[in-house]
Amino acid sequence: MKQIEAVVANVNDLNDGEMRQVCVGETEILLSRIDEKFYAVGAHCAHYGAPLAEGALSGHHVVCPWHNACFDVTTGDQLQPPGLDSLACYQVRVEGENVIVSVAEQTTGLRSPAMAQFNPDIDGRTFVILGAGTAGIHAALSLRVAGYQGRIVMITQEDKLPYDRTKLSKAYLTGKASSEEMPLQSPDFFSEHAIEVLLNKRVEQVQTTTKAIAFTDGDSLTYDALLVATGGKPRQLDIPGADLQNVFTLRSFADGDRILTAIKQKKQAVVIGSSFIGMETAAGLTQQGLQVTVVSPDSVPFKKSLGEQIGKIFQQVHEENGVSFKLGRKAVRFEGSDKIEAVILDNGDRLSADIVIVGIGVQPATDFLEGVNLHPKDSSVVVDEYLRATDGIYAAGDIARYPDWRTGESIRVEHWRVAAEQGRIAAQNMAGKAVKFKGLPFFWTMQFKFPLRYVGYAQTWDEIVVDGDLQKQQFIAYYIKSDQVLAVATSHRDKETAAISELMRLNQMPTLEQLQSTLRTSA
């Protein structure tokens, strides 16, 4: 393939440990200087295309400023998700004081990681992945990257290949993402790498003693290693009228399609619950022209996860865009002949509704499992630091309850990026490695024009220290417990968020006293 090259910098333009975006022709490149040597890789994140030069560089690691994917700038290898590809790596040479980069004339800036080829003559084992969400597809890819050459079977009860579930409430409902943009990989990817995907398959039981999976249609399948990544089932309201038409949950692609079909010619929507799914759905339906009311028993949205101050900002942003709230209230009855017509609240209020979305959380989908330790609180799968539930069985994603490497607490985190990382780590351990899960929870939301990033995990906290202006939506909020920063929520501070993520990964976050001293100095 024809190569083109260009002088992209003077050797004195970058100090050691610095990076910048440069161009060779029309190809954008991330140039970095590490240990006095220059490296060039693709300039944009493999996930949503964020400019990596606006992220944080730490040693060989660059952290994406948007959703905290991590890449090695010396090789282009992806180190942490989201995203399934690595960065293209380009030739660099120095002549005199000129830094020269060569690239192929046609390049996307990305590349697929090196993967082993399926060869049952070498490896006759069968590894099964239950679930085709982000944990499932990252696991399948990582098995091949780890050198596994046996059979891979991915099983899903849906009729779709793995897709970007985060887009359902963040973009699909608003019309900002089409159905063609939802798949995470093309059908050719799965056939090329011999990843069997069984669609419309429901599991009846997993028998750990015989290592057999029984399906509701009478089929069965034996496995040598199993990853359970079935995610969560939306919680339902057990109230009269819950079975009326146009009462929905939003968890799957099919749910999104049903909602988009149902909202045509509709005017009034009620969202039950002020969870992230509920609030993102409220924003999406409002942008589709519906009048939306959010009903929640909470006094402030996100008070339990983000604190009252930030929760009130979300409420204010929604109200400014026309969303109404009934807080401190519960729905006790849905009314209508065949279709939903009204929601009755516990104080007697009657809300007219053409459509209702129930967003009150999920329950781990684990009722088909036997012979593994399920937590009594929520039936999540209790795993060790290697994400192993029992011999030959691993769990990842919303169903996994794992030890937090920072605090030792047993936690379960319903974050898309955590699921992706756990899928990767579980696959490496299925393939024979011994890798501890030391990932950092991270999530993001965009509601109307208010973006929020969250790194870490704080179930409770002693105080929240704020750097910046909450009302201007330009801030970093530090969640402190026992003088330790456990989590950070930010808005419009993306580069700093990426740096904080790397500090947390390295376990080098400042103490409360150090943080307060720094903030006083910068004030």
Side-chain angles (χ1 to χ4, degrees), residues 204-316:
E204 183 174 310
Q205 189 179 48
V206 171
Q207 300 166 335
T208 58
T209 53
T210 60
K211 292 191 173 182
I213 303 169
F215 298 97
T216 57
D217 61 5
D219 288 345
S220 63
L221 178 67
T222 58
Y223 63 84
D224 293 284
L226 172 67
L227 173 63
V228 185
T230 43
K233 300 180 294 184
R235 297 182 186 275
Q236 306 287 346
L237 277 180
D238 185 17
I239 61 175
D243 58 349
L244 287 170
Q245 293 181 41
N246 292 339
V247 175
F248 301 99
T249 56
L250 178 58
R251 181 69 179 175
S252 68
F253 207 139
D255 293 336
D257 283 340
R258 283 191 286 265
I259 292 170
L260 286 175
T261 299
I263 64 175
K264 295 176 181 177
Q265 309 302 318
K266 299 295 189 295
K267 295 182 179 180
Q268 294 177 305
V270 173
V271 174
I272 307 296
S274 56
S275 64
F276 281 97
I277 288 292
M279 293 287 280
E280 288 178 351
T281 299
L285 295 179
T286 299
Q287 291 172 82
Q288 290 278 24
L290 280 74
Q291 176 60 55
V292 180
T293 301
V294 175
V295 176
S296 173
D298 297 331
S299 60
V300 176
F302 310 133
K303 182 178 179 179
K304 295 177 183 178
S305 55
L306 297 176
E308 186 170 356
Q309 287 181 292
I310 294 177
K312 284 184 175 179
I313 294 173
F314 273 103
Q315 181 180 343
Q316 177 184 328

Side-chain angles (χ1 to χ4, degrees), residues 92-159:
V92 184
R93 71 180 191 274
V94 176
E95 291 185 359
E97 293 190 347
N98 292 328
V99 181
I100 302 170
V101 175
S102 301
V103 304
E105 193 170 32
Q106 293 183 339
T107 177
T108 63
L110 302 175
R111 62 176 173 83
S112 296
M115 287 183 266
Q117 296 297 308
F118 172 55
N119 191 331
D121 293 331
I122 293 177
D123 193 333
R125 294 176 296 172
T126 296
F127 286 1
V128 175
I129 300 168
L130 289 184
T134 186
I137 189 170
H138 278 85
L141 182 147
S142 297
L143 282 172
R144 292 289 186 235
V145 171
Y148 173 68
Q149 294 184 271
R151 185 185 181 197
I152 299 175
V153 183
M154 182 185 293
I155 299 166
T156 175
Q157 64 183 14
E158 296 191 49
D159 62 355

